[in-house]
């Protein structure tokens, strides 16, 4: 039987220990999908084709039609420490939302992504799109990022147990975090990273050090409909926000 116990790190546990995908996940570890229609299969490509907006990956698999319902019941926290469910983060009828799942609050690449989200917020607000950032760590770690970057507290949420990451099957592991070729993209944004790190503190890193091996992703929802989904292949492999904005603007209207 597959071992699904969470990885815990201590002086006697190696970072090289194998990890497994949570049984709660709706996605296999190497599959993902994006579509403007209700998703029935996971599909992959490198470019948008017709009504489907698809990103790079490598396999296909069936996925439940109720993915948004399952994600909606996941409990996380506001940056001020109040419990909240995913379904309460945006209007589940017609609201448009971009949900950026950061790696963790002590990741310098995530500070750069948060800075980019902050700079783009007015443009998304004017388009009627809610920007939501979720990171791994406790609310006090989220507040460190919010205060030092700074970043608006009302857009920032904490997922200390990585529940949403597990449900969405986002990548996790040593190889993805430190050795994936996709991570080299960050070198093209090095000046933006330096700017975002002006008031950076390593104290924002989760106390559970196994959390630093978590990767993030980007999602676009219209009500309960998942329009776009992307898993970061490696550290710093973020979806371009210009592309995300275009997807929001082209979303079908009822």
């Amino acid at each position: 039987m597959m071992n699904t116990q969470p990885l815990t790190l201590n002086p006697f546990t190696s970072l090289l220990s194998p990890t497994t995908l949570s049984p709660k996940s709706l996605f296999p570890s190497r599959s993902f999908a994006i579509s403007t229609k209700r998703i029935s299969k996971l599909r992959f490509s490198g470019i948008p084709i017709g009504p489907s907006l698809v990103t790079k990956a490598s396999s296909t698999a069936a996925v439940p039609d109720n993915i948004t319902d399952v994600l909606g019941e996941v409990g996380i926290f506001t940056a001020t420490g109040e419990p909240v469910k995913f379904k309460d983060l945006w209007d589940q009828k017609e609201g448009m939302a971009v949900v950026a799942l950061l790696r963790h609050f002590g990741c310098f690449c995530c500070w750069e992504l948060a800075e980019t989200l902050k700079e783009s917020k007015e443009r998304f607000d004017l388009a009627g799109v809610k920007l939501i950032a979720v990171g791994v760590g406790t609310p006090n770690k989220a507040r460190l990022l919010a205060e030092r970057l700074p970043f608006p507290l009302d857009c920032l949420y904490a997922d200390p147990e990585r529940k949403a990451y597990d449900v969405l099957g986002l990548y996790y592991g040593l190889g993805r975090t430190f050795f994936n070729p996709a991570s080299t993209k960050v070198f093209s944004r090095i000046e933006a990273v330096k700017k975002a790190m002006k008031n950076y503190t390593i104290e924002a890193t989760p106390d559970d050090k196994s959390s630093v091996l978590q990767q993030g992703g980007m999602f676009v929802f219209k009500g309960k409909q998942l329009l776009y989904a992307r898993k970061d292949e490696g550290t710093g492999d973020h979806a371009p926000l210009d592309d995300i904005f275009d997807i929001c603007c082209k979303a079908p209207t009822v």
Side-chain angles (χ1 to χ4, degrees), residues 5-244:
Q5 294 299 315
L7 175 66
T8 56
L9 298 182
N10 55 54
F12 309 100
T13 305
S14 171
L15 278 172
L16 298 176
S17 297
T19 60
T20 57
L21 187 65
S22 165
K24 297 177 291 183
S25 174
L26 296 180
F27 291 99
S29 60
R30 292 191 56 77
S31 59
F32 220 49
I34 303 155
S35 175
T36 56
K37 298 180 180 179
R38 185 170 288 277
I39 297 173
S40 59
K41 288 200 180 220
L42 295 174
R43 298 175 298 131
F44 301 97
S45 177
I47 56 174
I49 302 177
S52 298
L53 301 168
V54 286
T55 58
K56 58 186 178 181
S58 59
S59 63
T60 61
V63 66
D65 288 339
N66 66 337
I67 174 177
T68 312
D69 290 329
V70 176
L71 182 64
E73 294 302 318
V74 170
I76 56 176
F77 296 90
T78 67
T80 55
E82 299 170 354
V84 63
K85 289 190 175 182
F86 243 88
K87 65 182 179 182
D88 297 323
L89 301 188
W90 72 91
D91 177 8
Q92 295 287 289
K93 292 184 177 180
E94 291 298 324
M96 183 79 73
V98 172
V99 181
L101 283 97
L102 315 178
R103 291 185 57 241
H104 62 84
F105 295 117
C107 170
F108 60 85
C109 290
C110 293
W111 282 53
E112 180 235 348
L113 176 57
E115 176 75 15
T116 304
L117 290 170
K118 181 183 69 173
E119 292 174 349
S120 303
K121 186 177 183 301
E122 183 177 1
R123 178 170 60 149
F124 280 89
D125 285 347
L126 291 173
V129 180
K130 186 173 183 179
L131 278 183
I132 297 167
V134 181
V136 176
T138 51
N140 65 307
K141 302 294 186 179
R143 289 194 298 274
L144 281 174
L145 183 149
E147 293 165 2
R148 285 175 169 262
L149 193 58
F151 189 85
L153 275 175
D154 60 346
C155 297
L156 189 61
Y157 298 86
D159 186 1
E161 297 180 11
R162 296 181 281 134
K163 293 179 179 178
Y165 297 75
D166 285 344
V167 166
L168 294 167
L170 298 185
Y171 291 124
Y172 177 92
L174 188 68
R176 288 281 177 184
T177 302
F178 298 110
F179 305 117
N180 192 278
S183 298
T184 59
K185 294 178 183 179
V186 73
F187 293 113
S188 66
R189 310 191 308 270
I190 195 66
E191 292 305 318
V193 173
K194 289 179 180 178
K195 176 185 175 183
M197 290 183 66
K198 183 178 179 180
N199 293 313
Y200 172 83
T201 173
I202 199 171
E203 294 299 320
T205 303
D207 293 330
D208 176 7
K209 300 312 179 194
S210 66
S211 295
V212 304
L213 302 181
Q214 180 66 58
Q215 293 300 316
M218 190 82 71
F219 302 81
V220 178
F221 296 92
K222 183 176 176 61
K224 288 188 175 184
Q225 187 179 20
L226 176 63
L227 300 184
Y228 172 94
R230 183 182 187 278
K231 297 197 292 188
D232 294 348
E233 296 283 330
T235 302
D237 178 36
H238 306 145
L241 280 189
D242 286 342
D243 293 352
I244 301 300

